[in-house]
Amino acid sequence: MFNRNVGIILLIALAAGLGLVVAQKVFAPEPGGDRPATESITFYPQPRPLPDFNLSQSDGTRLIPGELKGHWTLVFLGFTFCPDVCPTTLADLAQAQKQWEALPETLRPRLVFISVDPERDTPARLGEYVHAFHKDTLAATADVPSLERFATSLGFVFQKVPGKHFDENPEDYTLEHSASLAVLDPEGQLAGLIRPPFQAQAIARDLQLLTEKSAP
């Protein structure tokens, strides 16, 4: 009886294990369509159209859906007073951007830095901040409700966190925000995600490969 029970338990465990393997194959993110295999990007099964948005760019122009078409684009949330994550990420991505400079400007992948701190990040400050890392980086912000809608459409979140002396000093606060990169395809749709830690060389290769494959 003991051996029979053990056998039944082993069969159940084997079936469960096989079920897990099948589930992993069925539900794991797939590159999808005719996209090439990438090192750093997790693609969604289908690209997701973004709802309308209207943000203010650091050069005074508007960032609207049409502006994000024609290029593969990385979108990153942050703020200029960020002590570590934001400058580290922008420095890492600047290495990838330097490699993309060899591509035609009309097709070159883009990086968009979205400030979730509109109270302190003026357009002039934003432009000066991002261009210190790389001249091609775009930067934009908006009022908080507009930023929340845009962030949500990317699957991102952010939150203002008051400091110990916030009552006496309204500027004593920080922002907690998602640290991943949203990947938009040349149609301006949300195609995938890059999670930290970031490998600049892998990101550079992935975006160059996608750009060459989707080029007209």
Side-chain angles (χ1 to χ4, degrees):
M1 180 64 71
F2 176 78
N3 290 336
R4 181 182 178 187
N5 290 340
V6 170
I8 292 173
I9 292 172
L10 289 175
L11 286 173
I12 293 173
L14 177 61
L18 289 173
L20 178 60
V21 170
V22 171
Q24 288 175 334
K25 290 183 177 296
V26 171
F27 295 107
E30 295 288 344
D34 58 352
R35 295 193 188 103
T38 52
E39 303 172 61
S40 62
I41 304 171
T42 299
F43 285 107
Y44 296 113
Q46 296 294 330
R48 306 175 185 178
L50 298 181
D52 286 342
F53 56 87
N54 192 328
L55 312 178
S56 301
Q57 295 197 78
S58 60
D59 64 359
T61 62
R62 309 302 298 179
L63 183 65
I64 56 178
E67 295 295 316
L68 296 181
K69 291 187 176 181
H71 304 255
W72 284 91
T73 303
L74 302 179
V75 182
F76 177 60
L77 300 188
F79 61 113
T80 65
F81 286 84
C82 180
D84 41 35
V85 174
C86 302
T88 299
T89 299
L90 290 172
D92 288 341
L93 294 175
Q95 299 178 45
Q97 290 174 287
K98 289 177 182 177
Q99 295 193 40
W100 300 335
E101 290 174 4
L103 295 171
E105 187 175 355
T106 54
L107 300 174
R108 192 177 300 163
R110 295 184 298 182
L111 172 63
V112 182
F113 179 81
I114 304 295
S115 171
V116 292
D117 188 11
E119 294 181 44
R120 296 181 295 193
D121 287 346
T122 64
R125 180 179 176 85
L126 263 180
E128 181 179 352
Y129 181 77
V130 299
H131 293 152
F133 296 94
H134 195 279
K135 61 181 177 61
D136 290 343
T137 304
L138 303 178
T141 190
D143 57 80
V144 172
S146 296
L147 289 170
E148 288 176 339
R149 287 193 295 272
F150 185 65
T152 299
S153 71
L154 300 176
F156 292 165
V157 295
F158 66 90
Q159 177 178 298
K160 184 176 181 178
V161 181
K164 294 181 179 179
H165 306 290
F166 181 74
D167 290 339
E168 297 81 26
N169 177 15
E171 291 198 1
D172 180 26
Y173 65 87
T174 188
L175 277 299
E176 294 181 350
H177 58 86
S178 299
S180 296
L181 301 172
V183 181
L184 307 186
D185 66 18
E187 295 301 315
Q189 301 177 106
L190 179 61
L193 189 71
I194 302 177
R195 297 183 177 89
F198 303 121
Q199 302 296 326
Q201 297 303 316
I203 293 173
R205 288 190 294 268
D206 285 349
L207 270 294
Q208 182 160 347
L209 181 64
L210 290 169
T211 296
E212 292 171 350
K213 189 170 181 61
S214 61

